[in-house]
Amino acid sequence: MAVKIDSVPVSEWGFFTLPRPMVIAGPCSAESEEQVMETAKGLSAFGIHVFRAGIWKPRTHPGCFEGAGVPGLKWLQRIKRELGMKVCTEVASEKHVYECIKHGVDMVWIGARTSANPFLMQEIADALQGTDIPVLVKNPVSPDVDLWTGALERLNMAGVKKLGLIHRGFTAMHKIAYRNEPGWGLAIEMRTRFPELPFFADPSHMGGSRKYLAEISQRAMDLGFEGLMVESHCDPACALSDASQQLTPRDLQRLLEEQITVRDADSDAADYRENIKALRSRIDVIDENLLSLLSSRMDVSKSIGQYKKDHNIAILQMDRWDALLDEMVRQGGSKGLSERFLRAFFNDIHEESVRVQNEVLSK
Ligand code: PEP
Ligand code: MN
């Protein structure tokens, strides 16, 4: 489902120098003038032009460092002035928006706890009316693409046209290695809905630890994300928030230049085009065969339904299905297909077959 958003392409924002990835970097929180200046200098030294820093921090527990607040905006002004960087921060209320506009913040992002709240989204959208600054919307904490979409719609209806998305993963129901559940499929769904919007991945909040930054960033590049928002701090061990996931500017440079491979979105090279075309036509033929096999299978299901009806037999014989599924998993496994895929695929086929038989029986 494509949702219509009236947007200005990121190439016209004047923020990023392509090619990919477009990088936004800076500390989780602005802690002091020295800390932001030193970090920003380290980043700008290797070509990062867009600086992030949280001025107001949404902390899970009260009593933790909740950000420097308005005085921190003056530090961001200094970064703009002295280093020529663009600066951005998180806004979670209309007051934050007004302060950002007053202090010349170039771009804002909406955090995951805020994009989950339609009341706050409306308040922020109203406060942004009549401004021209870009707004990046993080996914809501819950895996809900409609809620994420609604946040974009509210901003767009208020006239915000420079819009982008940040994928930072979702709250996990169970303990996992990462801080957040990646849920890449939901990001792909948003990508399909809004192909024109620039898409950033936030490996810092998704991974929650320095050791996962490279693999998550690589995954994002493989999936064709245009950008990365990464937390970087001049002295990560002493950071007042998210200490374990921040990188020094030097380590971020190493990550970007040595540890990830950026894939091209596409290629115009003639041999690439020729080969990919040949491979895709093979896939097309196989898909056509799959469709015709599936349709023959459903025809047999209908006959079985009719036969069961004639003999007054129930549709479901679970023993038979369990045995068949196990056999398919065994055979498929020996052909290199994963158990997860085989179970999901054959269960879907079975469900459809039961539906078809039900139709026959209820006639
Ligand atoms: C942040 O970017 O500093 C932040 C609080 O992130 P999130 O909203 O993704 O938790
Ligand atoms: Mn953070």
Side-chain angles (χ1 to χ4, degrees):
M1 178 187 63
V3 181
K4 199 67 214 119
I5 287 275
D6 181 13
S7 65
V8 174
V10 67
S11 54
E12 292 171 25
W13 298 3
F15 273 59
F16 300 98
T17 39
L18 296 164
R20 292 186 310 144
M22 304 184 286
V23 179
I24 302 168
C28 179
S29 307
E31 300 166 3
S32 69
E33 186 160 3
E34 297 66 42
Q35 170 246 6
V36 288
M37 283 312 296
E38 191 182 334
T39 308
K41 277 182 197 155
L43 294 168
S44 105
F46 70 95
I48 302 291
H49 304 298
V50 185
F51 185 78
R52 65 147 279 157
I55 293 290
W56 302 277
K57 298 304 299 177
R59 306 309 300 274
T60 301
H61 300 286
C64 300
F65 176 63
E66 291 187 326
V70 174
L73 292 171
K74 301 255 184 320
W75 312 334
L76 297 188
Q77 286 178 327
R78 200 177 144 204
I79 291 173
K80 278 181 76 158
R81 208 169 50 238
E82 293 182 17
L83 302 173
M85 295 174 93
K86 299 276 189 193
V87 296
C88 64
T89 195
E90 171 176 349
V91 290
S93 70
E94 62 179 9
K95 175 182 169 290
H96 296 167
V97 173
Y98 295 142
E99 293 296 351
C100 284
I101 293 165
K102 196 161 101 194
H103 289 86
V105 169
D106 299 295
M107 174 166 75
V108 294
W109 79 83
I110 312 287
R113 294 155 196 78
T114 310
S115 62
N117 184 328
F119 291 123
L120 286 176
M121 279 314 305
Q122 193 56 53
E123 174 183 314
I124 292 167
D126 291 343
L128 283 163
Q129 201 143 25
T131 66
D132 188 37
I133 62 173
V135 182
L136 304 180
V137 184
K138 286 197 173 196
N139 66 267
V141 280
S142 52
D144 185 339
V145 279
D146 285 323
L147 202 52
W148 199 356
T149 299
L152 284 174
E153 287 170 337
R154 286 176 200 278
L155 292 164
N156 203 225
M157 284 169 72
V160 179
K161 293 189 179 169
K162 293 175 183 163
L163 283 166
L165 295 160
I166 305 176
H167 182 50
R168 47 76 87 195
F170 306 93
T171 302
M173 292 269 282
H174 308 285
K175 184 131 189 54
I176 54 171
Y178 291 171
R179 176 173 171 182
N180 287 308
E181 186 75 64
W184 293 108
L186 297 171
I188 291 165
E189 166 67 25
M190 282 302 271
R191 171 109 268 194
T192 314
R193 287 188 186 189
F194 304 105
E196 71 280 25
L197 300 189
F199 217 135
F200 294 79
D202 174 346
S204 310
H205 291 92
M206 186 180 288
S209 162
R210 277 180 281 284
K211 66 175 182 244
Y212 300 128
L213 296 179
E215 66 187 46
I216 297 174
S217 303
Q218 185 60 58
R219 190 76 199 275
M221 292 301 100
D222 293 348
L223 290 172
F225 279 66
E226 284 89 8
L228 296 172
M229 177 189 258
V230 193
E231 285 187 340
S232 175
H233 190 293
C234 54
D235 185 5
C238 295
L240 298 181
S241 60
D242 290 350
S244 54
Q245 69 194 32
Q246 307 205 55
L247 286 178
T248 60
R250 183 73 198 87
D251 285 342
L252 176 60
Q253 178 177 17
R254 200 169 299 131
L255 173 90
L256 294 171
E257 292 175 3
E258 294 166 25
Q259 296 174 343
I260 60 171
T261 310
V262 181
R263 319 273 180 211
D264 292 334
D266 211 341
S267 166
D268 286 329
D271 59 340
Y272 169 82
R273 291 235 159 255
E274 206 43 52
N275 288 329
I276 204 80
K277 201 168 140 206
L279 289 169
R280 282 181 178 150
S281 29
R282 275 168 63 186
I283 290 266
D284 290 346
V285 173
I286 293 173
D287 284 348
E288 280 164 25
N289 289 340
L290 272 175
L291 282 179
S292 110
L293 281 172
L294 284 170
S295 136
S296 312
R297 195 188 188 286
M298 289 310 154
D299 287 344
V300 177
S301 288
K302 275 184 209 149
S303 307
I304 292 182
Q306 189 58 50
Y307 197 65
K308 283 180 181 166
K309 184 179 183 180
D310 295 345
H311 292 80
N312 205 27
I313 307 282
I315 290 173
L316 272 181
Q317 275 90 40
M318 267 336 255
D319 290 359
R320 171 172 149 76
W321 178 245
D322 288 344
L324 199 143
L325 189 58
D326 285 346
E327 182 53 21
M328 287 298 132
V329 167
R330 197 189 60 75
Q331 281 189 31
S334 70
K335 294 182 199 298
L337 301 169
S338 81
E339 175 166 353
R340 188 210 60 78
F341 166 68
L342 291 164
R343 289 201 181 272
F345 182 66
F346 281 105
N347 273 322
D348 272 355
I349 289 181
H350 186 234
E351 206 178 297
E352 180 64 4
S353 169
V354 169
R355 192 191 64 74
V356 163
Q357 291 188 36
N358 238 327
E359 239 173 47
V360 175
L361 227 72
S362 60
K363 260 187 205 142

